[in-house]
Structures are given as C-alpha cells and as structure tokens.
Amino acid sequence: MRRVRRAAITGAVLSFAGCGETVHSLGTLPDEGTLAASCFQHNTEESRAGCGGTDPGAPDGGSSASQSGSGGGAGAANGGEAGAANGGGASTGGATDAGEEPPCPPRRSAIDRRGLNLLLLVDASPSVVLQPVWTSLTAAISRYVSDAANAGIGLGVTYYGTSCSANEYATPTVPIADLPGNAAAINQSYPLPIGGKPVVAAIQGASTYVQAIEKAHPERTASVVLVTDGVLDPVCGSTPKTAAAEAARALAASPSVATYVVALGAGPTLVDPVDIVDLAPLDDIAKAGGTGTAERVEVNLSTNDELTGALESVTARARPCSFRVPPAFEEARVSIEWRDPLGNVSEWPHVASAAACGTAAGVYGSQSTGFLDLCPTSCSLLRTSPNGTATALEACAPR
C-alpha cells in the first residue's frame, strides 16, 4: 500500500492519481483503510493501480489472489493458508474454519470371524450301532468331514457306551483337529457294537475336554454335539432330568460349553420299530445346553442327506457371530463394515452391551477378551450371507 504521511494540513487540497475525485481537505488525513475503500469504488485497472492494487479487506501488509471473488478476503490461490480477516476461506488444500482440525478418517483393517471347534459325542449303543441307522449315520459323518465347505472347522469324535466313568470320555476317540486333515482319522474310528447309554457321564467327560480345548485355543469357540436316539440307561442310571442338568452345568461353566443335539428318530431300529420312542427329553437336553431344540432326523435307509443336513445345520448355528479385534485397535471404538456377497455394504455400529442392541444391527465387546460379538440382527445377516467380508473401523480417539 502506498504510504501517506499523517500530517495535519490546513487550507490544502490533496488529490491522489488514479483515485478519481477523491479529495480530502482542510484537516487531518483519514486512515489508510478509509482511503483504500474509497479508491476501490472505482472498478478500473487504472484506479486500482493508483491505489496500490491492494484489497481493502486485507490487513496492513496482507495480499490476496487477483480477483479473489466474494465472501471477504480470500487466502492465497493454492497455498493452503487461511482466508483473510473478513471471513474468506482457503482456496485449495487449505484448512477448515479457524480453530477446527481436519476430520479424522477411521482406521481400517480386515478382520476374521472367530473359529469353531466341535466334538461329536456319538451314541454307540446297540440300539444305534446294530441297526441300519448306523450305516446312514456313519455315511453322513463321512460326507460332512469331506465337504470342502467345512474346511478349517475343528472336529473330533467320542463314542460313548462302554463306561459309566466321566473320565473315560474326557479323552476323545479322535481329538479335535482341523478338517479336512482330520477326516481320515474320523472315518476310521467307527466302532463295533458296544453296550449302554451313559449319557450323563459322556456329557460330563466331553464338556471337560472341550473346556480344555477352548482355554488352549481362545480364538475359537468349542461345543459338544450329542448324537443319539434316546436317554434310556439301565446300566449307569442316566435319566432325562440328570442329562439335562449336566448340559446346564456345562453351559454355566467357564468357559461355557453349549450342547447341541441330533435326535435320531423313527426308523428301522430294534428299540423303535414303530416310532414309539419319545424324543422330547432330547429337546430338554438341547434347551438346557443353550441350543433351543434338537435337530430331529427320521432315518432314511437309502440316503444320508437328512443326517448330513442336520450336522450342517448344527455347524451353522454353532459358528460364533464374533470377530477378532485387530491388534492395537481399541475395542470400545471399533465398529464393523460388512460387505455381503452381492457387494452391498452396511456399517454395524458399536453399542455398549448386548442389552443395548435392541432390534438394530450393531456390535459390542465380547466376554472373551479381544473379540466383538454381533447383535442378534447383525448375527442374522451374517448367517444369511456367511461368505461376505468384514472390515474393522476404529473411530478417532476423543480429544
């Protein structure tokens, strides 16, 4: 800006080249801002040149981009500096309003669903093994363990009937290991006929083993799958009531072990030739074990499809609706972005607890450290489209 001496001049008339008719006389010169504003009333290159080419909206010594536009003094055209004093924003790449920090994008990381271990607890008493149902059952298990869709699931098997001691069943016939690698051992494990139905001892021993597995491998949940045609146990004294109580005890333990039940129903068996066996007690065991009702199967001599389907249904229900929190992410600030197989994307926000889920999709901190559990609505979406992908989003930490 052209400097003007601030002297009181009496009786003089002052005129500035290029400023049109702007005249100040007989007194003290006005301040520079008033002069500049008066000069810029003349919208010509000549008058602007005469006023020093300086925008009156800029503070003393400031500058603006040429023809910066409305809204107050603008910042430098590409410099990213804040706008001038009267409210102009930055042009390109600048900061937001004075005092504001730029928005913080969430951290992103692909995440894996929590894994699954299952122990098949199979009734090997004569009512099952000596009948055609056994051929169908073993065929169903063989198909299940060789199905590529079950690769990565941990599976083991225990047969019960030879002992009334729970300790006998705490060591499985085939220990849990990943499929398909464990398939051969399971296919070779089918036993000869044995006697008895000590289901209470079997559930107790099986749950003890499964608890140890989950403690050793917390990245997976572990459950028992009881496969039987009934509870009748004249040798060891198991009853429907004591069997359900044992399933409830396993569910309440830490870590908790759920018990699923595959109920072998009507079929050509010695004990149930005309479908007279009541399978309701098996529903009671499933309910006490935290899994609702038993998967009922009517044995079909010509195919094992129903039995295979029952095992697949149990697997789908048993797979946890839970994802591992990425390392260095703070669990309380993590939500999940879900992309289904069709490419549809939705975000499941973090909520305080299971009680806060309501009917909306969401995630909350798992009782197992390092995991996020899904609210029921999110879990239903996951089970509908299990082959989708999940991404963890960690929101910015509060300042």
Side-chain angles (χ1 to χ4, degrees), residues 331-344:
E331 180 185 287
R333 293 189 285 113
V334 177
S335 60
I336 291 179
E337 180 184 271
W338 175 250
R339 183 182 296 272
D340 69 22
L342 298 179
N344 300 310

Side-chain angles (χ1 to χ4, degrees), residues 156-360:
V157 63
T158 292
Y159 303 98
Y160 68 95
T162 58
S163 174
C164 297
S165 171
N167 289 335
E168 295 292 328
Y169 306 109
T171 301
T173 307
V174 179
I176 289 174
D178 284 0
L179 297 176
N182 213 26
I186 292 173
N187 285 332
Q188 294 167 11
S189 70
Y190 305 134
L192 295 173
I194 50 182
K197 282 183 180 292
V199 65
V200 171
I203 293 175
Q204 184 179 351
S207 62
T208 298
Y209 168 72
V210 165
Q211 284 173 340
I213 288 294
E214 185 160 339
K215 287 179 180 178
H217 301 280
E219 74 280 4
R220 298 186 177 198
T221 60
S223 300
V224 171
V225 183
L226 174 64
V227 183
T228 184
D229 64 350
V231 182
L232 182 63
D233 178 19
V235 177
C236 299
S238 299
T239 67
K241 184 176 181 179
T242 57
E246 190 58 41
R249 185 204 62 80
L251 185 67
S254 180
S256 177
V257 176
T259 301
Y260 294 84
V261 180
V262 175
L264 304 176
T269 68
L270 290 178
V271 299
D272 192 16
V274 291
D275 192 17
I276 61 174
V277 173
D278 182 12
L279 294 179
L282 299 182
D283 286 332
D284 293 339
I285 295 174
K287 183 177 180 180
T291 61
T293 59
E295 294 277 347
R296 296 191 179 210
V297 176
E298 289 192 13
V299 177
N300 187 322
L301 292 180
S302 62
T303 177
N304 58 287
D305 288 349
E306 286 190 8
L307 282 164
T308 302
L311 293 175
E312 290 173 346
S313 177
V314 166
T315 300
R317 292 165 56 198
R319 288 194 70 185
C321 283
S322 181
F323 287 87
R324 181 185 292 276
V325 178
F329 274 42
E330 186 176 332
E331 180 185 287
R333 293 189 285 113
V334 177
S335 60
I336 291 179
E337 180 184 271
W338 175 250
R339 183 182 296 272
D340 69 22
L342 298 179
N344 300 310
V345 178
S346 57
E347 183 174 344
W348 300 337
H350 194 106
V351 299
S353 64
C357 286
T359 59

Side-chain angles (χ1 to χ4, degrees), residues 10 18 112 134 140 159 198 309 342 349 363:
T10 304
D112 296 322
W134 186 250
Y159 303 98
L342 298 179
V363 303

Side-chain angles (χ1 to χ4, degrees), residues 1 4 6 24 28-38:
M1 175 178 288
V4 179
R6 295 180 179 274
H24 302 277
T28 303
L29 291 175
D31 60 39
E32 293 172 344
T34 304
L35 282 170
S38 177

